[in-house]
């Protein structure tokens, strides 16, 4: 069998849920609704955090970056998915597949690191309240976010270069609804130990290490919360930390299951629905979780709307 990549410039076929056509219309409707909520919710958080000076704090700086990541992440996947679900063909160009693979992996890796950064911010706010503004100064916050972005980019360039070099022997069918690494690796007609080791090593760095730091941070935060005597402050800490911990659980839980297991140990159908969860549902839930559980954001939205109304009347 010829193992060259002569067909590398041909269109790929995104099989998606074509083996369950009765679900495609339902899935497309749900995905469309979730995408609209993702766009509106995350854009609202970014605008509110920028427009309201009372939210010019490290927490909302990180939250704005998380919302921007979720916006880009969802947009790199969902529009193409909807086109394929609604249209007669399910193809994607080779270049489009590469870009989708690159941006989805880059943004996902960056979010893994950013969530760990946000956990450290909550630790500093709860456990070092008197020194919080000194510890989390703007320059440090910017460097931490930049490190998350550069770290995600570095890992993505490594994985993409290795994955795209795998010979496909003319295979064009991607058994997923977007060009995700596990599905692209399964297209290859050879086994690569190098990729398996690299993916596992990067999984430890970008998944297991951050989640371990997050759990340690929240262990320390829990001890501090127990000692808080003010019910109002205790409730505020639980709201802000609870929001972040909910996001962490939803995001890391599914991704660790997908990426830290041997590629052949997860059934493809199960893998598709797990991918559906962390690529579409989580970016939608993030702004809802933070706005519905966070009085500061809701108050800021009301304050901005009141200012806009007064400006319109005058």
């Amino acid at each position: 069998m010829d193992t060259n990549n002569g067909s590398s410039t041909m269109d790929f076929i995104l099989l998606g849920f074509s083996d369950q056509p009765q679900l495609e219309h339902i899935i497309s409707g749900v995905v469309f609704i979730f995408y609209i909520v993702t766009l509106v919710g995350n854009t609202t958080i970014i605008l509110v955090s920028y427009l309201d000076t009372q939210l010019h704090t490290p927490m909302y700086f990180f939250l704005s970056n998380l919302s921007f990541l979720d916006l880009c992440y969802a947009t790199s996947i969902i529009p193409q998915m909807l086109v394929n679900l609604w249209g007669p063909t399910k193809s994607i160009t080779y270049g489009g597949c590469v870009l989708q693979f690159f941006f989805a992996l880059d943004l996902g890796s960056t979010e893994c690191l950013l969530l760990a950064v946000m956990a450290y911010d909550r630790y500093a706010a709860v456990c070092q309240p008197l020194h919080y503004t000194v510890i989390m100064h703007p320059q440090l916050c910017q460097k931490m976010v930049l490190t998350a972005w550069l770290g995600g980019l570095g890992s993505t360039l490594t994985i993409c270069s290795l994955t795209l070099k795998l010979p496909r022997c003319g295979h064009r069918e991607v058994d997923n609804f977007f060009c995700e690494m596990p599905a692209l690796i399964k297209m290859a007609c050879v086994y690569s130990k190098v990729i398996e080791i690299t993916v596992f090593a990067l999984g430890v760095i970008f998944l297991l290490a951050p989640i371990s730091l997050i759990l340690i941070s929240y262990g320390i935060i829990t001890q501090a919360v127990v000692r808080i005597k003010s019910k109002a402050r205790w409730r505020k800490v639980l709201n802000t930390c609870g929001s972040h911990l909910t996001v962490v659980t939803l995001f890391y839980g599914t991704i660790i299951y997908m990426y830290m297991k041997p590629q052949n140990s997860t059934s493809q159908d199960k893998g598709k629905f797990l991918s559906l969860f962390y690529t579409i549902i989580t970016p939608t839930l993030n702004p809802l979780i933070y706005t519905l559980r966070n009085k500061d954001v809701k108050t800021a939205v009301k304050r901005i709307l009141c200012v806009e109304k007064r400006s319109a009347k005058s």
Side-chain angles (χ1 to χ4, degrees), residues 20-176:
Q20 303 177 64
Q22 70 279 6
L23 292 178
E24 285 193 321
H25 293 299
I26 298 174
I27 291 173
S28 66
V30 172
V31 168
F32 179 76
I33 293 171
F34 270 65
Y35 186 49
I36 297 299
V37 175
T38 297
L39 294 178
V40 174
N42 286 292
T43 302
T44 299
I45 287 180
I46 294 171
L47 290 176
V48 169
S49 299
Y50 175 76
L51 294 174
D52 194 287
T53 54
Q54 294 186 32
L55 298 185
H56 289 178
T57 62
M59 174 182 171
Y60 293 100
F61 172 69
F62 295 134
L63 182 55
S64 297
N65 275 272
L66 178 65
S67 293
F68 179 71
L69 274 172
D70 285 337
L71 271 177
C72 297
Y73 190 52
T75 301
S76 70
I77 296 168
I78 296 179
Q80 180 67 51
M81 178 185 180
L82 291 175
V83 167
N84 289 349
L85 285 171
W86 290 339
T89 62
K90 301 183 183 298
S91 63
I92 182 173
T93 64
Y94 175 78
C97 186
V98 171
L99 287 175
Q100 192 178 69
F101 174 35
F102 176 84
F103 283 114
L105 189 59
D106 180 28
L107 296 167
S109 301
T110 303
E111 185 161 339
C112 289
L113 298 179
L114 184 61
L115 288 173
V117 168
M118 293 174 72
Y120 177 75
D121 172 68
R122 291 300 83 209
Y123 156 77
V126 176
C127 301
Q128 306 287 335
L130 299 179
H131 305 285
Y132 177 66
T133 54
V134 176
I135 296 172
M136 300 302 294
H137 55 85
Q139 291 79 12
L140 177 63
C141 295
Q142 292 168 6
K143 289 178 181 178
M144 292 172 83
V145 168
L146 181 61
T147 300
W149 280 96
L150 292 178
L153 178 62
S155 68
T156 300
L157 290 173
T158 302
I159 292 295
C160 281
S161 61
L162 291 174
T163 303
L164 295 175
K165 287 179 181 177
L166 289 174
R168 292 184 300 276
C169 307
H171 297 164
R172 298 173 53 210
E173 295 184 342
V174 182
D175 197 6
N176 209 330

Side-chain angles (χ1 to χ4, degrees), residues 236-250:
K236 184 176 182 179
V237 168
L238 286 183
N239 280 337
T240 56
C241 293
S243 299
H244 180 254
L245 195 56
T246 304
V247 171
V248 165
T249 303
L250 293 172

Side-chain angles (χ1 to χ4, degrees), residues 267-282:
S267 70
Q268 195 58 32
D269 286 340
K270 192 173 184 179
K272 290 178 189 177
F273 282 101
L274 283 174
S275 300
L276 194 66
F277 192 91
Y278 60 76
T279 58
I280 293 163
I281 297 177
T282 303

